[in-house]
Amino acid sequence: MSFAQKIIKYCYTLEGSSRYKGLKGGVYNLLQNPRAPIRPYFDIFMILLVLLSVWLLIYEVKHDLGLWGDLIEVGAVTIFIIEYLLRFWLYNDSHKVIIERYERAEFINETFRLGPALYSAVIGKLRYMVQPLAIIDLLAIIPSYRPLRFLRIFLLFRLFKLFRYTRSISEFVKVLSEKRIELVTLFIFMAFITFTAATAIFFFEAEHDGGQIDGFFDSVYWALVTMSTVGYGDITPQTTEGRVISLVLIIAGLGVISFFTSIIVSAFGEKIHEIRAHRVFSEVERKQVDTLVCGFGRVGQVVADRLSEDKRSFVVVDPLEENIRLAKQRGYLAVMGNGEDNSLLVSMGIDTRINRLLCLTGDDVVNVYITLIARQMNPEIEIISRANHRENVNKLYRAGASHCVAPYEVFGLIAAEYAGQPVAFEAVYGLLTRQTSEGIEAVRIKRDSSLAGKQMGEIDFLARKLIPFGIIRDGCCDPEVDNSCFNLNERCFYFNPGERFTLQANDLLVLIGHEYSVIHLRDCLERGEL
Amino acid sequence: MARQDTLIFGCSALGHEVAMQLSERGIQVYLYSNNLDEVGGLLAKGLQAAVIDYTDDEKLMGIGIGKWVKTIFCLFSEEPKNLFLTLSARALDPDLKIICVAESIESSERLRAAGATKVIDPYEISGQRVHEMIARPYLVEMLENTVFGKHIDIAEIEIPDSSVLAGMALSDLELNKKYDLIVIGVVDLELSNQLIFTNSGVDHRLDAGDILVVIGGKQEIERLRQGVSAAGEP
């Protein structure tokens, strides 16, 4: 077996090894996967380590570190080296590069040559080494090597390592990098002014003419200090010509500074929503929010208030700033954006964490659209949609809604009932919406419950101040045989069950009564005292 | 003329919806609006609609408010219109049943202060419905298919003067054994218009004029109605 064959065999072993993959996956979670639960702990540890090592560096300027200081320094550097090597290893799979080369050679019937394959694997790793963050990592390690002590200033690069571990710093860099064109323009303009002013002042204020400028470096230094409006005053123009130049430079400097400020401000102004949204996304992830409310209009507000009363977690999406502010005032998680925005839904985790979507906007087109895309991304999700017009209910169901609520239809129903029989309706409506303390509630009969197998007549509901309303049972029933039972979706409802109706385990007993009575009954069932 | 008529003011989608629902229940409705286009649209759908200047009290009296109209719905999409109409109508007839639509809590309060009998907020109700679907999916499914699905009705039954039920205690009725329905409670209008629940522990003694609130199938309710009216054993 030749050397090349041995290498290829080794590569295939790696490819087939689940232990190798598990190990690499673990390292990936630790170092790179932003969603891994261990990531925040690792990041905090590394931040502390970096700060500690930089503090030692400062301390060392005037004091002797002693044995412990040296040990900590060695420990920190070791961890940095291990981290660097792990990232180096993680960047890509060299064995895959070689396997790919080998298989291609086999496929086109060419003899496999190890040299070029290894070369491309090395190139892959080199590509890692020239990344800015990788260079920073390397520079943070190298000066610890004794012969390279003169590079000690680079130890400050350890501070730059913090970029890796903190989101806000990297967001700052990202915001600035989006304003690249403006910043480059500004930089060229600034360089031009500096150079012109420096040349002019050098010309008029050189030392042998009675000025204070000693060499071109001094003049550039003076020009920058003046332009930035810092103005130390260590070098001041002595001649009239020099003073005129200063005046012009000061005015130009004001322009440069205000231009720079406006670039930064506008960059953040444009990005602030995104940054806030990111915050909310990570919050949503941390709290394991499972309900997404699209639209924070009147309906959305009522739903959100009730959900928060129930201590359920949810997140609100609305395109209007006003509504988002309202949601935040009430302490809800909220993101400004359109529900139709595919990427927003994905960032919320519509295909993973979220298992309930409420489309409650006032626009049926938007509701249908959100319903449709959400259903495509997640066939399992429960979608409740609002239909503002009667004719759109069917469209919503076709788009994939699990339930629809039509405000006008509900209004019509209630108004019509109310017009006919106000007294009865007021009472029953109160029951149904739990606006009164009396309400309609369901109690699940557990497998080992004492009620299972009992007949309805054996239980004195009235003594417990409860009215039995009906039973919901899994399975089907035949309305022909018993005309007070109704088929629901995969379940069956028996209205007003007679005295001889036998309860079964897993039945839902629907009762009308005061909430305390129902709680008391549940409590008794739990303790088996019935 | 008996006070029968039901008028709907405002011919938006909401007015249309209520008109449909009432027609399904066999109640004759008339729609009015000050907007010619809306009225035209409803006429095309076969509903009885007409244009009216609702700010003119003479005109309102002309269509029967203060005389034979029993119920009006104020369903304009603008709150000031509803408010104005409610005030005018209440001034014309203190006994008129006025049902208004409101789109916020503040607006409900204003309308109630102006004299509306009942203010319904469609968004509030829808929000509650959505929440119920999340919190108690089985119950909602059951109710949608029964009470709202028109298999089971809610009914109020007034006890006539000669009824055998008069003088009986609520707990002695045991109507859910004799009929296939549930008695939720009773309203004694002489005391208040609050419902006394069957399970409240207060054993109310029935008398003529009390209103029983029951839930059950249509036929059973009809049977009870006849039983209650009969002078014999129910």
Side-chain angles (χ1 to χ4, degrees), chain A residues 298 310 390 421 440 489, chain B residues 17 121 131 136 141 154:
Chain A
R298 276 280 292 145
D310 286 0
R390 201 181 241 251
Q421 21 193 24
I440 182 159
N489 221 349
Chain B
E17 184 67 48
D121 181 341
H131 172 253
R136 308 189 297 173
E141 194 188 349
I154 305 160

Side-chain angles (χ1 to χ4, degrees), chain A residues 511-524:
Chain A
L511 299 161
I512 297 172
H514 197 280
E515 56 179 320
Y516 296 134
S517 310
V518 178
I519 291 170
H520 182 64
L521 178 73
R522 281 208 185 108
D523 199 37
C524 288

